[in-house]
Amino acid sequence: MSHPLARHAKGGSSAPPRSNAVVGVLAFAGIVVSLMQTLVIPIVPELPRYLDASPSNAAWAITATLLAAAVATPVVGRLGDMFGKRRMLLVSVVLLVSGSVVCALSDSLVPMIVGRTLQGLAAAVVPLGISIMRDVLPAERLAGSTALMSASLGVGGALGLPAAAFIADRYDWHMLFWISAALGVVALALLVLIVPESKVRTGGSFDLLGSLGLSAALVTLLLAVSKGGDWGWTSGTTLGLFAAAVLVFLLWGRYELRTAQPLVDLRTTARRQVLFTNLASVALGFSMFAMSLVLPQVLQLPEQTGYGLGRSMLDVGLILAPQGLVMMAMSAVSAALTKAKGPKVTLMIGAVVVAAGYALSIVVMSEVWHIVLVACVIGGGVGFAYGAMPALIMSAVPASETAAANSLNALMRSMGTSFASALAGVILAQMTTGFGGHALPSENGFKTVMAIGAGAALLAFFLASFLPRWKAASEPAEPAGAAAEPAEISGARS
């Protein structure tokens, strides 16, 4: 497969972009988008009352975002490669702002679901931002910048929780979404003013049938995973959705291998470096989310249980916030290690650190400082690992497929978190203890989930060991610095 690259003369080209400003704006946009993941956590218990809906129906405000993000990430990534990464980045942020405004004006279930769906459609901002960095930044800035951008997902989530809890506790819940809209407008303005458009494009036609097929497969799979606990894992609806997902994935894969310009280039995806990076991403996404499910519950459960710490939601956010700062700090260390030893080593070290954090949680989780320590160790490992993934992906794919490849990698991480949520839900529902006439997750249930999180991190380490040995002379398929020059990809395939 080849992508002929036609370079134009330099005459009339703009000056190189201000690297620090570009990186800062893209990272800020990533943090703003990641805030939507934690935005509604403080109000989840009250959503049925706010929206005058049953708890099962109100849960669609969460599920809709998950499904929309899964569908949008690979599709928008491909559109970015074809029609401009900055252009699709701006479209994504506009959708985020629109969704936030719709939610802010909502007092019933249907408009809330519409707004949350629009917010979910903005999920491709981080992979698009990483892809823009590859095209416009000098090569020596790429590793550190992409690591920071990748870490912005965790940073936004960690810092957004205490802010959202504070706002929800003191103001009307609609204020959460008005603030989200305002931050989106700021991000949009900065992107327009500072971030340049990449000139690296594939051209060609959009694979509409492939996008519909992948969307159908992802929706059926994630719907079964996210709602299986409510419907029953052995119910006809859940099993039927799983069966439909397998069938649609098989048919979609066959079609993608036969079409000239597929939505996802499965032959590139099957390359050892891309394949094992994506598999490790699923495992790490699973591992990271296990912590997000357990630690807040342990902090909030009553002290009378013997293992709960009886803290408020605001306290929970403040206690877990340092994790985001550690993740951001470790992104710089991750970039330095990647330059010295290669991203394979960085990914493997990150996975080991995450596993160590989970192992630590099984032994010490009885004091607030224990929780802070565990969260920071796991967050540091995630910062290491997530920082290495873009380098692994971008060094294995052509510049013309960067956004699609990064978006697929982001989707793999998201799939891991969805599987973690489903499995942890099953475990915590089965391993319970009685308290005040109610069944609460037991201490052993929490420890089991954390042990599985450690196992998932070790699985990521094992998968990363199959990555090709990193060569110091290796560079991305299209050097980052060269991409700042005007360039086009003809879209021809051979």
Side-chain angles (χ1 to χ4, degrees):
M1 185 183 308
S2 63
H3 298 272
L5 183 66
R7 296 197 178 279
H8 300 286
K10 290 186 179 181
S13 63
S14 59
R18 296 165 290 177
S19 297
N20 290 338
V22 169
V23 172
V25 169
L26 290 173
F28 174 72
I31 290 172
V32 169
V33 170
S34 69
L35 288 174
M36 74 178 181
Q37 299 176 2
T38 54
L39 192 67
V40 297
I41 289 178
I43 63 172
V44 164
E46 303 297 328
L47 271 180
R49 181 169 62 86
Y50 292 154
L51 303 176
D52 192 23
S54 66
S56 60
N57 286 335
W60 283 102
I62 312 298
T63 306
T65 308
L66 168 70
L67 298 178
V71 169
T73 301
V75 172
V76 174
R78 175 60 178 160
L79 290 172
D81 282 332
M82 293 179 63
F83 302 116
K85 303 175 183 74
R86 176 177 178 269
R87 179 177 297 173
M88 296 313 302
L89 187 62
L90 295 176
V91 169
S92 297
V93 177
V94 167
L95 290 172
L96 173 66
V97 173
S98 301
S100 299
V101 171
V102 171
C103 290
L105 296 173
S106 298
D107 285 306
S108 58
L109 182 62
V110 172
M112 174 62 81
I113 291 176
V114 171
R116 291 290 289 166
T117 300
L118 290 172
Q119 286 186 317
L121 294 176
V125 163
V126 170
L128 285 171
I130 291 173
S131 304
I132 290 174
M133 288 176 177
R134 180 187 190 180
D135 294 344
V136 305
L137 294 181
E140 65 273 10
R141 290 293 311 275
L142 190 58
S145 301
T146 56
L148 177 63
M149 187 71 188
S150 189
S152 69
L153 280 172
V155 173
L159 299 183
L161 183 57
F166 178 83
I167 294 166
D169 189 48
R170 287 164 174 77
Y171 302 96
D172 179 77
W173 65 275
H174 295 91
M175 184 61 65
L176 290 168
F177 296 102
W178 285 121
I179 292 176
S180 173
L183 290 173
V185 169
V186 173
L188 185 65
L190 291 173
L191 289 168
V192 170
L193 293 173
I194 294 175
V195 177
E197 177 63 273
S198 164
K199 302 300 182 181
V200 181
R201 303 184 187 180
T202 60
S205 58
F206 179 67
D207 181 14
L208 178 60
L209 186 58
S211 67
L212 293 174
L214 180 59
S215 298
L218 289 172
V219 167
T220 51
L221 175 61
L222 292 176
L223 198 55
V225 169
S226 61
K227 303 296 287 186
D230 296 331
W231 295 336
W233 293 106
T234 58
S235 70
T237 301
T238 302
L239 294 178
L241 285 171
F242 277 126
V246 172
L247 178 61
V248 176
F249 268 122
L250 290 173
L251 293 174
W252 172 79
R254 182 179 181 183
Y255 171 80
E256 290 294 278
L257 288 172
R258 295 186 174 190
T259 191
Q261 294 179 324
L263 176 73
V264 177
D265 190 334
L266 294 180
R267 292 180 177 85
T268 298
T269 305
R271 293 175 186 170
R272 186 169 62 155
Q273 184 158 316
V274 179
L275 175 63
F276 280 98
T277 300
N278 284 334
L279 291 175
S281 297
V282 175
L284 274 169
F286 184 105
S287 184
M288 179 182 177
F289 201 67
M291 170 191 65
S292 302
L293 289 169
V294 169
L295 297 187
Q297 292 191 63
V298 172
L299 285 167
Q300 286 185 283
L301 284 175
E303 292 183 66
Q304 291 84 349
T305 60
Y307 52 91
L309 299 177
R311 300 289 176 153
S312 68
M313 177 58 75
L314 178 57
D315 289 341
V316 171
L318 294 173
I319 291 167
L320 297 180
Q323 167 206 347
L325 301 177
V326 170
M327 194 179 297
M328 179 178 290
M330 285 301 103
S331 67
V333 181
S334 169
L337 183 61
T338 293
K339 287 182 180 179
K341 299 295 183 180
K344 174 182 177 178
V345 172
T346 307
L347 176 56
M348 294 177 74
I349 290 176
V352 169
V353 173
V354 171
Y358 277 109
L360 182 65
S361 73
I362 298 173
V363 181
V364 292
M365 205 160 54
S366 58
E367 302 285 346
V368 169
W369 72 267
H370 292 168
I371 302 294
V372 174
L373 176 62
V374 166
C376 287
V377 171
I378 295 175
V382 170
F384 256 88
Y386 276 19
M389 288 175 185
L392 285 163
I393 293 295
M394 291 190 294
S395 64
V397 302
S400 58
E401 297 178 13
T402 301
N406 278 321
S407 296
L408 182 63
N409 182 251
L411 175 63
M412 293 300 102
R413 283 182 266 178
S414 178
M415 297 283 282
T417 63
S418 299
F419 297 148
S421 177
L423 180 58
V426 171
I427 293 171
L428 296 179
Q430 296 297 319
M431 302 180 69
T432 61
T433 184
F435 180 80
H438 301 281
L440 299 178
S442 67
E443 183 177 16
N444 286 335
F446 288 131
K447 288 184 176 181
T448 299
V449 173
M450 298 299 264
I452 292 174
L458 292 176
L459 175 61
F461 173 88
F462 175 73
L463 292 168
S465 69
F466 288 95
L467 290 167
R469 185 176 64 85
W470 185 262
K471 297 179 181 179
S474 294
E475 296 292 343
E478 178 63 23
E485 298 177 338
E488 290 179 342
I489 301 296
S490 68
R493 290 179 178 266
S494 60

